[in-house]
């Protein structure tokens, strides 16, 4: 891509950020974990926002049920890996963005090798929707002294005006936050910053089902808004418009 193309592509950003801000974003390395409704929109916004290096992790294949909310889900992409489709989308937005991917599910055995196999990120964004990997990511970021922000649950929620950033200790009305909060206390993880909603969830008549697809409804707009908010928070901090949050620190036990 010639310089004039790059300049035109990010000209509206340049009005706000100037050369210094764009240079910071182009040099920044951001890791996005999970490319579902939240993560795919987050990665897209980061690419459109001028981030120069993206590290993307997800194990899933795109399914038809993803189409209502995921930026990478189209009829034409069903059956393809989310990482490969997201990488192609990022390069279609900004061919100069350096993208690294891992198509895997993070677990206790591989989290260190997978995440440490990437260059050290300037920021980690956790968009995973299951409890165990989220806790492992929080622990890994704490051990490596990396800034982290994590999405909490958006299932069965309707109104994005309830979304807010806060520490996990202050969350309420969010079942995922409750589980993460309890485990953070047990494991000694403190100062974990999250995006969550304190809107009371819609009650679903699931008839004792424990399947996520039968118990968690998702509005088309809700996860993408969460992803955009996460990307915006990180971009503002990388540029210097906002101060960094406190990194996760050990809590005293007992």
């Amino acid at each position: 891509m010639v310089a004039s193309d790059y300049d035109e592509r990010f000209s509206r950003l340049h009005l706000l950020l100037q050369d210094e801000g764009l240079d910071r974003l182009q040099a920044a390395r951001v890791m996005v974990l999970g490319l579902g409704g939240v993560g795919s929109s987050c990665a897209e916004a980061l690419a459109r926002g001028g981030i120069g290096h993206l590290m993307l992790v997800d194990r899933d294949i795109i399914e038809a049920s993803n189409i209502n909310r995921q930026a990478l889900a189209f009829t034409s992409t069903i059956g393809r890996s989310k990482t490969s489709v997201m990488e192609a989308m990022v390069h279609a937005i900004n061919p100069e963005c350096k993208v690294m991917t891992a198509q895997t599910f993070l677990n206790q055995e591989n989290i260190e090798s997978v995440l440490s196999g990437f260059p050290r990120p300037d920021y980690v964004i956790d968009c995973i929707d299951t409890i165990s990997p989220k806790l492992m990511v929080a622990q890994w970021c704490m051990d490596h002294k990396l800034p982290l922000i994590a999405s909490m649950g958006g299932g069965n929620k309707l109104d994005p005006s309830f979304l807010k950033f806060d520490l996990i200790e202050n969350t309420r009305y969010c079942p995922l936050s409750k589980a993460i909060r309890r485990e953070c206390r047990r494991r000694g993880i403190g100062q974990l910053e999250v995006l969550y909603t304190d809107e009371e969830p819609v009650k679903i008549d699931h008839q004792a089902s424990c399947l996520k697809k039968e118990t968690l409804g998702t509005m088309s707009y809700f996860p993408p808004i969460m992803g955009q908010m996460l990307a915006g928070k990180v971009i503002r901090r990388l540029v210097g418009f906002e101060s960094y949050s406190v990194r996760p620190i050990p809590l005293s036990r007992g």
Side-chain angles (χ1 to χ4, degrees), residues 29-33 53-57 100 118-121:
R29 296 189 294 263
V30 179
M31 179 180 287
V32 180
L33 306 176
H53 305 261
L54 286 172
M55 294 159 275
L56 311 174
V57 179
M100 300 178 68
F118 292 107
R120 181 178 175 87

Side-chain angles (χ1 to χ4, degrees), residues 158-215:
L158 303 176
D159 188 349
S161 69
F162 284 88
L163 285 165
K164 60 191 68 179
F165 293 97
D166 210 331
L167 298 179
I168 189 66
E169 295 94 320
N170 300 327
T171 56
R172 59 177 187 167
Y173 296 130
C174 174
L176 180 58
S177 296
K178 181 178 180 180
I180 297 293
R181 187 172 62 240
R182 180 178 62 247
E183 283 300 307
C184 280
R185 284 198 301 266
R186 190 177 73 82
R187 301 182 188 204
I189 299 172
Q191 300 294 297
L192 173 61
E193 187 180 21
V194 301
L195 173 65
Y196 87 106
T197 171
D198 58 7
E199 177 188 6
E200 294 196 50
V202 174
K203 292 181 171 57
I204 302 294
D205 182 12
H206 53 76
Q207 298 180 345
S209 173
C210 61
L211 297 176
K212 184 168 67 173
K213 67 179 181 180
E214 296 178 0
T215 60

Side-chain angles (χ1 to χ4, degrees), residues 62-64 66-75 77 85 89:
I62 297 169
E63 301 176 351
N66 302 149
I67 289 176
N68 84 307
R69 66 198 181 282
Q70 299 187 12
L72 43 62
F74 303 87
T75 301
T77 61
V85 173
M89 285 184 63

Side-chain angles (χ1 to χ4, degrees), residues 141-153:
C141 288
M142 185 177 72
D143 293 343
H144 290 268
K145 297 181 171 58
L146 290 169
L148 165 69
I149 191 163
S151 67
M152 294 291 109

